[in-house]
Amino acid sequence: MDKREFLKGSAATAAAMMATTFPECAAFADETIPRTNWSGNYHYSTNKVFQPASISEVQDAVRSVARVRALGTRHSFNGIADSRIAQISTLKLTDVTLDPKARTATVGAGIRYGDLALILDAKGFALHNMASLPHISVGGACATATHGSGMRNGNLATAVTAIQFVAADGTVRTLSRDKDGDRFAGAVVGLGALGVVTHVTLAVQPRYDMTQIVYQNLPFSELEHHLADIMGAGYSVSIFTDWQNGRAGEVWIKRRVDQGGASTPPARFYNATLATEKLHPIPGHSAEACTDQLNIVGPWYERLPHFKMNFTPSSGQELQTEFFVPFDRGYEAIRAVETLRDSITPHLYITELRAIAADDLWMSMAYRRPSLAVHFTWKLESDAVMHVLPQIEAKLAPYGARPHWAKVFTMDTREIAPLYPRIQDFRALTQEFDSKGKFRNRYIRDHVETD
Ligand SMILES: Cc1cc2nc3c(=O)[nH]c(=O)nc-3n(C[C@H](O)[C@H](O)[C@H](O)COP(=O)(O)OP(=O)(O)OC[C@H]3O[C@@H](n4cnc5c(N)ncnc54)[C@H](O)[C@@H]3O)c2cc1C
């Protein structure tokens, strides 16, 4: 994503929009869906948003336009969801059908994880993981390989066992892991390029309770020999740092009660100290919005995310960047980024380090690679962030760092393509379902297609 795309406003394409005429369509609506992403750093290039409430309305919408992109809860930080012509919001697609025997839930792609969690938990079921906040749509999260943490936890898309989507010709297609194997693995992290996913079938498991504890001031030197042990000290572990003073300010450990997670935690952990009050990942911020800590037992959906469903984690005045490196080179990568600390820290709220298990999803950032994700929550200082990003990317290039598809980065297809062994197959798959490029946008051209 170049600076021009990053900073552009919807006015840039206003002329093109005015020249576009739209057919009557029952699902057509406008002005109710904000025209920026969640963070406000990206203005979408169209005011035309379909809001279908059924599969047939999605089909009508897809058939009625030459170009279109699916839109979930708008939590991506770049132009991945953008279209110059129209978007299809999935927010009215929120039905849930639980199959307790098969241990699956088939859900409308627009449902938010936090809403789904309440429904599942009430029926005695749970998901394997969640992202840092529960406000993200299932369809949007899976399309971009959104993840939580955990040495044995794949990203959220790894829970998908089948997808149903409307392809460019308006037909409804289904791909499942059982029946379609490899092609399914290519389609799940689809970046919105194969069609509009209407339903996602997710593997579920019996509900579980968890606790959360936080340790403070973990020296980076402990990571050199103990990174896997530290990351494996709980079901899901996050390490937070501001890159100063050679240490991680906080280590959040989320433990499952059915795996011994209610036991009293030791006061010391790799030379870090157990926190005795609830903390926010960013020092000095109120912890009110954060999920409970201090080893208090609670349901999985109120411990796996860092933030509660009924709170916004911050004002939204932030940008995010994330790079995925092979886990076994994680410590080296941390030290490489640390050399840039004086350029990074002034523009940073916080960095988070998470572990993601390897998977087989072609376009996943953890494809065939147990990964350490190095995440940056930036202040909304676009120019400064765009200045420092190439420096971070250069430092991480020797580790084959893959950028998070939905966050801010400057790498283009020439740099990204070699990092994805199945990218040619993915391009072929998009051709199969979208031969005329209905779902292609500038982002896909710049980051996925051949130069
Ligand atoms: C505060 C905050 C915290 C975050 N935390 C995490 C985190 O912990 N881990 C992480 O990995 N990421 C995280 N993210 C990033 C976020 O998970 C991704 O941006 C994700 O794609 C957001 O989903 P969405 O529904 O908002 O997608 P959108 O931004 O609406 O769309 C993203 C992409 O998905 C496609 N898409 C959406 N719905 C569909 C559909 N039904 N069919 C086909 N394509 C579709 C769009 O076309 C687009 O390409 C965070 C973002 C924010 C703002």
Side-chain angles (χ1 to χ4, degrees):
M1 180 175 56
D2 64 23
K3 192 168 170 182
R4 193 160 49 102
E5 183 198 2
F6 182 65
L7 299 172
K8 80 179 177 56
S10 54
T13 50
M17 290 309 312
M18 289 172 73
T20 307
T21 55
F22 285 85
E24 289 298 315
C25 178
F28 184 76
D30 59 1
E31 295 173 12
T32 55
I33 309 270
R35 293 296 71 217
T36 66
N37 63 349
W38 174 87
S39 145
N41 72 298
Y42 193 93
H43 291 251
Y44 298 123
S45 308
T46 178
N47 289 325
K48 309 299 179 188
V49 189
F50 295 94
Q51 283 196 71
S54 66
I55 296 172
S56 65
E57 287 185 2
V58 175
Q59 292 179 280
D60 288 349
V62 167
R63 286 192 177 114
S64 70
V65 280
R67 292 266 193 280
V68 71
R69 292 286 289 179
L71 185 66
T73 40
R74 301 178 296 106
H75 280 76
S76 48
F77 288 88
N78 57 36
I80 190 169
D82 201 11
S83 169
R84 293 181 60 192
I85 305 297
Q87 292 169 313
I88 296 179
S89 166
T90 59
L91 296 190
K92 288 186 177 170
L93 304 174
T94 58
D95 52 301
V96 176
T97 308
L98 184 68
D99 183 340
K101 207 167 155 203
R103 289 199 176 174
T104 59
T106 298
V107 307
I111 196 167
R112 300 181 303 171
Y113 275 95
D115 298 324
L116 173 61
L118 290 176
I119 295 169
L120 291 179
D121 193 73
K123 294 185 184 296
F125 287 93
L127 299 168
H128 81 291
N129 212 352
M130 292 175 78
S132 65
L133 86 170
H135 309 76
I136 299 169
S137 85
V138 170
C142 294
T144 61
T146 288
H147 63 98
S149 191
M151 295 289 282
R152 293 194 190 85
N153 296 329
N155 67 45
L156 303 187
T158 62
V160 178
T161 62
I163 55 170
Q164 180 186 60
F165 61 101
V166 174
D169 62 1
T171 57
V172 178
R173 312 290 184 96
T174 303
L175 290 173
S176 72
R177 184 169 280 286
D178 282 351
K179 292 190 185 132
D180 301 286
D182 202 36
R183 289 167 80 248
F184 166 82
V188 176
V189 180
L191 310 177
L194 272 66
V196 180
V197 175
T198 56
H199 288 88
V200 178
T201 301
L202 299 169
V204 296
Q205 58 183 276
R207 71 166 305 286
Y208 50 91
D209 286 320
M210 298 187 77
T211 59
Q212 184 164 236
I213 50 176
V214 176
Y215 285 92
Q216 292 180 280
N217 294 317
L218 179 113
F220 269 179
S221 54
E222 296 289 348
L223 301 177
E224 181 172 7
H225 301 297
H226 306 298
L227 183 59
D229 297 329
I230 291 167
M231 279 297 188
Y235 182 72
S236 166
V237 175
S238 290
I239 299 174
F240 293 95
T241 180
D242 61 5
W243 298 105
Q244 296 297 318
N245 308 314
R247 55 109 180 90
E250 296 175 19
V251 181
W252 289 35
I253 304 181
K254 300 164 191 281
R255 304 187 297 167
R256 281 177 70 140
V257 169
D258 60 1
Q259 297 172 3
S263 61
T264 305
R268 302 281 290 171
F269 173 77
Y270 294 98
N271 279 318
T273 309
L274 187 67
T276 52
E277 61 178 350
K278 196 175 154 187
L279 296 173
H280 190 285
I282 306 172
H285 282 222
S286 163
E288 194 189 3
C290 298
T291 47
D292 278 343
Q293 301 160 20
L294 304 171
N295 213 34
I296 298 168
V297 174
W300 56 281
Y301 61 87
E302 288 183 353
R303 295 295 178 276
L304 286 170
H306 302 330
F307 299 100
K308 293 177 182 166
M309 184 67 178
N310 53 341
F311 280 88
T312 306
S314 70
S315 60
Q317 298 290 305
E318 68 183 52
L319 302 173
Q320 294 185 9
T321 292
E322 194 164 30
F323 297 103
F324 296 69
V325 298
F327 191 88
D328 60 4
R329 303 203 67 191
Y331 177 70
E332 290 171 70
I334 291 166
R335 287 299 195 189
V337 175
E338 190 190 25
T339 63
L340 297 171
R341 61 183 175 273
D342 292 338
S343 304
I344 291 171
T345 307
H347 313 295
L348 187 75
Y349 280 125
I350 202 72
T351 276
E352 180 177 7
L353 307 171
R354 286 180 279 187
I356 302 98
D359 61 58
D360 68 345
L361 306 174
W362 299 356
M363 301 306 281
S364 159
M365 294 81 75
Y367 177 75
R368 300 266 186 237
R369 208 163 86 169
S371 299
L372 181 80
V374 185
H375 168 94
F376 304 80
T377 303
W378 302 106
K379 297 169 187 169
L380 194 46
E381 297 172 358
S382 305
D383 283 341
V385 170
M386 294 309 276
H387 180 72
V388 77
L389 278 179
Q391 298 171 44
I392 298 174
E393 289 168 0
K395 286 287 179 192
L396 291 178
Y399 311 103
R402 296 170 176 156
H404 193 308
W405 293 110
K407 300 187 180 182
V408 180
F409 58 92
T410 71
M411 296 162 71
D412 63 17
T413 310
R414 280 165 303 168
E415 295 151 299
I416 293 171
L419 303 170
Y420 286 89
R422 301 298 299 269
I423 197 163
Q424 286 292 9
D425 297 323
F426 182 73
R427 290 169 181 156
L429 203 61
T430 58
Q431 275 294 312
E432 178 185 337
F433 294 110
D434 182 19
S435 58
K436 293 186 181 152
K438 182 169 276 194
F439 301 110
R440 186 185 304 144
N441 65 0
R442 179 174 175 179
Y443 176 97
I444 295 294
R445 278 201 309 276
D446 291 351
H447 300 102
V448 179
E449 293 186 345
T450 335
D451 353 317

